[in-house]
Amino acid sequence: MSKVKETVLEINLTHLTHNYTYLKSKLDSKVKLLAVVKAAGYGSDAITIAKHLEKIGADYFAVAYVSEGITLRKAGVKTPILVLHPQPVNFSALIEYNLEPSIYSPRIIREFIKVAEAENQKDYPVHVKFNTGLNRLGFWENDVDYIISCLHQTNAIKVKSLFSHLAASEDHNEKKFTMSQVNSFKKITSDIINKLGYTPILHQCNTSGILNYPEAHFDMVRAGIGLYGYGNDADYDTHLKPIASLKSIISQIHTLEPGETLGYNRAFVSNGYTKTATIPIGHADGIGRQYGNRKGFFTINGNKAYIIGNVCMDMVMVDITDIDCKEGDEVIIFDNISSASIIAESAGTISYELLTAISPRVKRVIIDNN
Ligand SMILES: *Cc1c(COP(=O)(O)O)cnc(C)c1O
């Protein structure tokens, strides 16, 4: 285990390769794997992650917004990139950077065709998204004829894939609902394929769908959490390894006398003698105020050190009264052992919120054992 000298997010590419290989082993050899690298690769570092996954063979990438796709293209990523949630104001830039839009509503198909025609595009690849029960983004079943009529009036775009998103693929109690989504996707896609006259790539599964619904892999799957190993540990697949560890050090130790207070608004009042450690990570780094006042904890020399007082912008204080430690010692915010899910749950949230909030000022350190 490396010992850190400041706050760092360690990104383990060996674990990423492991997770990728494991997920691939769940797929039929013809099924493509699309790696979702939105939100800075679930809080890690989108460029590093995408370049590594490109090298080891990912077939496709997806991001949420056009700006995220542009970042990857500027870094030299060549693999096709699906933009899941583009806005018309960015359609020109999307085409300029060779990104592929999700087309999810009558308004979006009209707007995209307008821009693609204005830019003299022919057969520009688009991905048509259907809503099968998440009720978030996507065409409805009865929009198929409208889509076909739009496509018949232009040769500026061509449907590269048809897709949908599962609402509860991680929840075994929702099997019936998930299967109704799968069946509805089959029905809609067979209808539109008949009317199109060609067969685009079909995809519906996210990571937990890959693991729980092998019958719904179709031609491609979209892996997110699985690649990063950030699932809710207990029900998740224990083969997946978290790629990120957040670590810091103890900057200073104080001993408070009975009645003395700690931090802003004097939120912590010392009962007896309290030994405290000040750690250089705060709400501007992604550790929100909800972790303060004994909700969240870090790990120091194998012991739980609870956050006391309010979380500050650039630091937090933890209770080390019963912990043997000294200034400069390593502090684990989360790692393989004390997982991001457990820390997130201590403050009533989920690991993705904790991870995607880690701000760019936290240094990313790449670990690659190959
Ligand atoms: C985020 C996202 C995914 C990946 O989901 P995971 O649960 O992280 O595997 C797949 N598809 C769409 C449309 C998404 O928005």
Side-chain angles (χ1 to χ4, degrees):
M1 275 283 147
S2 58
K3 294 282 178 203
V4 305
K5 308 243 181 287
E6 61 181 329
T7 304
V8 298
L9 185 72
E10 290 180 347
I11 300 168
N12 190 317
L13 296 181
T14 308
H15 286 184
L16 183 62
T17 303
H18 168 90
N19 294 344
Y20 175 84
T21 309
Y22 179 71
L23 292 175
K24 284 288 277 188
S25 79
K26 299 285 169 193
L27 305 177
D28 203 88
S29 64
K30 286 188 292 290
V31 177
K32 292 182 199 296
L33 190 143
L34 174 153
V36 181
V37 295
K38 64 192 178 191
Y42 288 48
S44 58
D45 171 357
I47 293 173
T48 301
I49 298 296
K51 291 218 144 183
H52 187 75
L53 289 169
E54 184 166 69
K55 195 174 72 188
I56 63 180
D59 299 289
Y60 240 98
F61 290 122
V63 292
Y65 305 142
V66 172
S67 57
E68 296 180 303
I70 293 175
T71 300
L72 295 181
R73 284 285 182 254
K74 284 186 170 164
V77 172
K78 299 279 188 292
T79 304
I81 301 173
L82 161 58
V83 181
L84 294 165
H85 198 171
Q87 296 298 340
V89 66
N90 300 313
F91 282 163
S92 267
L94 176 145
I95 292 173
E96 183 186 343
Y97 284 91
N98 195 19
L99 307 168
E100 303 176 4
S102 162
I103 298 292
Y104 52 83
S105 72
R107 176 177 71 97
I108 294 298
I109 194 168
R110 284 193 299 272
E111 296 280 341
F112 191 71
I113 288 172
K114 212 184 329 171
V115 176
E117 285 180 341
E119 307 216 349
N120 297 315
Q121 295 297 319
K122 187 169 177 295
D123 291 341
Y124 197 89
V126 304
H127 302 261
V128 177
K129 182 172 200 180
F130 288 96
N131 171 35
T132 53
L134 183 59
N135 298 333
R136 191 172 71 174
L137 283 183
F139 286 103
W140 292 73
E141 185 172 0
N142 59 14
D143 290 321
V144 166
D145 289 337
Y146 182 75
I147 299 167
I148 294 292
S149 76
C150 291
L151 292 169
H152 279 160
Q153 288 164 35
T154 184
N155 63 1
I157 66 171
K158 182 163 186 188
V159 180
K160 185 143 170 208
S161 87
L162 301 170
F163 75 112
S164 183
H165 195 33
L166 299 174
S169 58
E170 73 286 0
D171 187 343
H172 297 285
N173 297 319
E174 295 288 3
K175 219 171 165 93
K176 221 174 123 197
F177 181 81
T178 303
M179 283 315 297
S180 81
Q181 284 198 274
V182 173
N183 290 328
S184 147
F185 184 62
K186 282 184 181 159
K187 185 158 165 275
I188 297 169
T189 52
S190 102
D191 179 28
I192 191 168
I193 286 167
N194 269 331
K195 292 169 177 164
L196 274 174
Y198 57 91
T199 307
I201 300 168
L202 305 185
H203 49 117
Q204 189 173 31
C205 280
N206 62 338
T207 303
S208 33
I210 298 172
L211 301 171
N212 297 334
Y213 295 91
E215 64 272 50
H217 287 175
F218 298 103
D219 306 312
M220 182 159 83
V221 295
R222 303 187 302 273
I225 308 159
L227 289 169
Y228 313 115
Y230 299 152
N232 268 346
D233 309 16
D235 338 315
Y236 226 64
D237 198 305
T238 50
H239 291 93
L240 298 166
K241 299 179 179 177
I243 65 154
S245 298
L246 183 57
K247 300 178 178 179
S248 188
I249 63 167
I250 297 176
S251 295
Q252 193 177 13
I253 291 176
H254 295 290
T255 301
L256 305 183
E257 310 230 342
E260 282 191 299
T261 64
L262 174 70
Y264 287 129
N265 311 108
R266 307 185 67 200
F268 174 82
V269 184
S270 186
N271 232 326
Y273 286 89
T274 308
K275 196 164 60 142
T276 71
T278 303
I279 320 294
I281 188 165
H283 60 72
D285 302 290
I287 303 299
R289 283 169 53 94
Q290 68 271 31
Y291 292 95
N293 299 306
R294 283 202 178 273
K295 284 272 169 39
F297 62 89
F298 299 162
T299 304
I300 298 176
N301 297 332
N303 298 283
K304 275 188 183 181
Y306 279 88
I307 298 174
I308 46 178
N310 289 321
V311 172
C312 312
M313 190 181 291
D314 316 306
M315 57 198 102
V316 301
M317 284 72 86
V318 296
D319 185 349
I320 52 162
T321 306
D322 300 315
I323 300 175
D324 184 20
C325 59
K326 58 183 189 309
E327 292 177 0
D329 277 3
E330 187 171 84
V331 177
I332 307 290
I333 292 100
F334 58 78
D335 67 356
N336 294 354
I337 298 156
S338 187
S339 75
S341 306
I342 291 173
I343 308 308
E345 278 162 22
S346 72
T349 184
I350 58 170
S351 59
Y352 327 140
E353 183 180 343
L354 171 59
L355 286 147
T356 57
I358 299 166
S359 73
R361 83 172 176 180
V362 174
K363 187 174 170 190
R364 270 63 174 167
V365 174
I366 310 302
I367 300 194
D368 193 349
N369 300 323
N370 292 314

